[in-house]
Amino acid sequence: MALAIELAKKGHYTTSPNPRVGCVLVNNNQIIGQGFHAKAGLAHAEVNALAEAKKHYPELIQGATAYVTLEPCSHTGRTPPCAQKLIDAKVARVVSAMVDPNPKVSGRGLKMLSDQGIVAQSGLLAAEASLLNVGFIKRMTVKVPYVRCKLAASLDGKTAMQSGESKWITANEAREDVQRLRAQSCAVIAGADSVLFDNAKMNLRWSQLGYLAKTYPENKLRQPLRVIIDSQHRLTPSLELFKQESPILIVQTFAETHLENQQQWPHFVEHIQVKATYDNKVCLRELLAVLAKREINEVLIESGAKLAGAFIEQDLVDELILYQAGKLIGGDGKNLVEMPSIQSLSQAKQLKINDVRMLGRDIKITAKFERE
């Protein structure tokens, strides 16, 4: 199963909206086939493992054990059900790390196997396997994506000079790591302020992927959906954001059709309306629910202090990633996040720091928010 988990990681940047899955076929303590799911619409891990076994050890497939990181699917989606493929192959046993949280499966795959006399079990390395698909699991169970918030600051917690100058607080290694975060994310969320101030593109830049660029040929990684909150309708088609042809979602609190029609928006830009809060701001919880309906598993927030702070204040962020540079800015530089509702230490958001490492000259801190 540990090998199957490692195989599943090969689809880390490519499988969404599908889960990352690996499979290993074993007969008489001999590995006869391995496979992983690479991309939605392509063969699933079990099918690829069976294909490899058929090529090298066809006589050993019958009676084999399949170790799969996620319960084999029992429904027909873009591809036929994997449970049926394993039944047809006459394997003797299927061990899944965890039950599929997708309500279309959720135990039906294992039942389908056991009904045909195949020993079907689950729970082996379940915790490790669940880490492969935190976004998929959350979307299936809570109906919102898994949300990461990326921040970069000096050692004294400043994200920019008082003038707004911020390029670059962190060094190349940290910026490359951010590109890899974008690559694994289904969507990147930013506010209009951030886009306008830096004339930012918010796209995945292959040339800045570092070591990952050696694994994936140029333009083979999909661009994440760029989600820009623009309640005041300040974006214009002339911005750099719109020169990269990949899907963009402009989010507003109410439709201003006459303003939109005055602009010649590129064909890949979509305007959507999300309900407003009492102070006429985009309801962030509603936005995440909308993205989940669009099969968005993992979201990366790359924004300024106000929007990042709003997501955190409302307990909508699962994981915080902070890049901290060995610099002191001092003065009245811009703060990391703004959370005006927090007035006492007892209200502070508590995080569990899971990882601290050096990236070149900078520190990368990964922490998860603790919920009661």
Side-chain angles (χ1 to χ4, degrees), residues 2 12 28 35 48 75 79 101 119 139 142 162 256 272 285 321 334:
H12 186 77
N28 196 25
N48 288 328
H75 68 293
T79 59
V119 177
R139 176 166 69 86
V142 189
Q162 186 177 8
E256 286 278 9
I272 67 166
R285 192 176 300 276
I321 299 167
K334 294 187 177 180

Side-chain angles (χ1 to χ4, degrees), residues 191-232:
D193 281 339
S194 298
V195 172
L196 290 168
F197 189 85
D198 294 325
N199 200 9
K201 294 181 179 179
M202 306 304 299
N203 63 319
L204 173 63
R205 293 186 279 279
W206 182 85
S207 62
Q208 296 178 20
L209 282 172
Y211 67 83
L212 195 61
K214 298 177 182 178
T215 306
Y216 294 95
E218 190 167 4
N219 298 326
K220 292 300 181 183
L221 289 176
R222 57 110 171 89
Q223 288 285 342
L225 173 68
R226 290 173 286 172
V227 181
I228 314 299
I229 298 175
D230 183 28
S231 299
Q232 299 178 43

Side-chain angles (χ1 to χ4, degrees), residues 25 32-34 47-61:
L25 288 172
I32 62 172
Q34 304 178 40
V47 173
N48 288 328
L50 286 168
E52 184 178 278
K54 185 175 181 180
K55 182 177 179 181
H56 299 290
Y57 302 100
E59 73 283 359
L60 296 179
I61 296 176

Side-chain angles (χ1 to χ4, degrees), residues 94-135:
V94 175
V95 181
S96 68
M98 58 178 290
V99 172
D100 193 332
N102 186 344
K104 293 180 180 178
V105 185
S106 194
R108 293 181 181 87
L110 294 173
K111 184 177 186 303
M112 188 174 171
L113 293 163
S114 61
D115 285 348
Q116 296 298 315
I118 296 171
V119 177
Q121 301 166 301
S122 67
L124 180 61
L125 297 185
E128 293 84 346
S130 67
L131 295 176
L132 294 167
N133 295 301
V134 290

